[in-house]
Amino acid sequence: MTEKLHAPVIAWFDAHARDLPWRRPEAGAWGVMVSEFMLQQTPVNRVLPVYEQWLARWPRPADLAKEAPGEAVRAWGRLGYPRRALRLHGAAVAITERHGGDVPAEHAQLLALPGIGEYTAAAVASFAYGQRHPVLDTNVRRVLARAVTGVQYPPNATTAAERRLARELLPEEESTAARWAAASMELGALVCTAKNEGCARCPIAAQCAWRLAGKPEHQGPPRRGQTYAGTDRQVRGKLLAVLREAHAPVPQAALDRVWHEPVQRARALDGLVTDGLVEPLPGGLYRLPLT
């Protein structure tokens, strides 16, 4: 089963992989790490311009580590989930202090960095260093759910069974395993998509358990939607936008103008302060964090 999956998916990837800057050799491990932080819950087309600007400004972890964390939040722009910017800054500081400014190659050392979870550690070790690790993002999980398990969608949260399956499916050879990780992810992004899947273009359609079963409808818990309008996330984004544009502390009155509902606005601002994304100052002033 595993051999029948690996060869056609990797061959498809060789022919159809997108030319993305973090896949080029010159990106290095730092470029791969930056891309992995930015691509969490954010599509490639939104990440590309911010990624290019980020690497031009901070080509090495030490360059970012020298800056205030608020500058990372400012440069993050409208990518969303800005705590990722703080985590990436924290990882850059740790890499500079613990590893001489070079992104470590060992999975355990990657996992020990602040803001790095199991997925990101495996992705950097695999994509940057060609190591053999199961890399389970949403796209890979969907491909495995359909091709092997025979269901339309994976569970809402990654399960032990999924991790076990991903390990069992890993090619033995390190370089092939790393290629399989990238190829299965790209297949999920471009062909085996959440909606309007392109089975006619899929290199493993003939052996896909879900397709062979007649594409049964999803039977699990309802899938989480991505609501935004009117949420605290939207208010937080509007507050941060004001602070990103300002290069001096901002008065409360300027923040009050971004949202009409005072209770929700205050809750969103309190949340930003609690998350370390905004620093309150005496006199009712606010700024992006300096420490």
Side-chain angles (χ1 to χ4, degrees), residues 165-182:
L165 175 62
R167 287 194 300 269
E168 290 170 355
L169 288 174
L170 269 182
E172 288 300 322
E173 185 184 33
E174 270 205 327
S175 61
T176 307
R179 198 72 176 158
W180 160 253

Side-chain angles (χ1 to χ4, degrees), residues 72-87:
V73 177
R74 193 189 312 278
W76 199 255
R78 304 304 296 267
L79 284 183
Y81 302 99
R83 276 179 288 183
R84 293 179 293 169
L86 289 183
R87 291 174 187 143

Side-chain angles (χ1 to χ4, degrees), residues 98-111:
R98 301 176 197 171
H99 303 288
D102 294 320
V103 176
E106 290 186 25
H107 182 267
Q109 291 179 327
L110 287 165
L111 201 52

Side-chain angles (χ1 to χ4, degrees), residues 83 232 236 239 264-278:
R83 276 179 288 183
D232 284 7
R236 285 164 60 104
L239 293 168
Q264 187 179 26
R265 187 178 65 234
R267 183 172 66 238
L269 182 58
D270 286 346
L272 290 170
V273 172
T274 300
D275 290 342
L277 289 161
V278 172

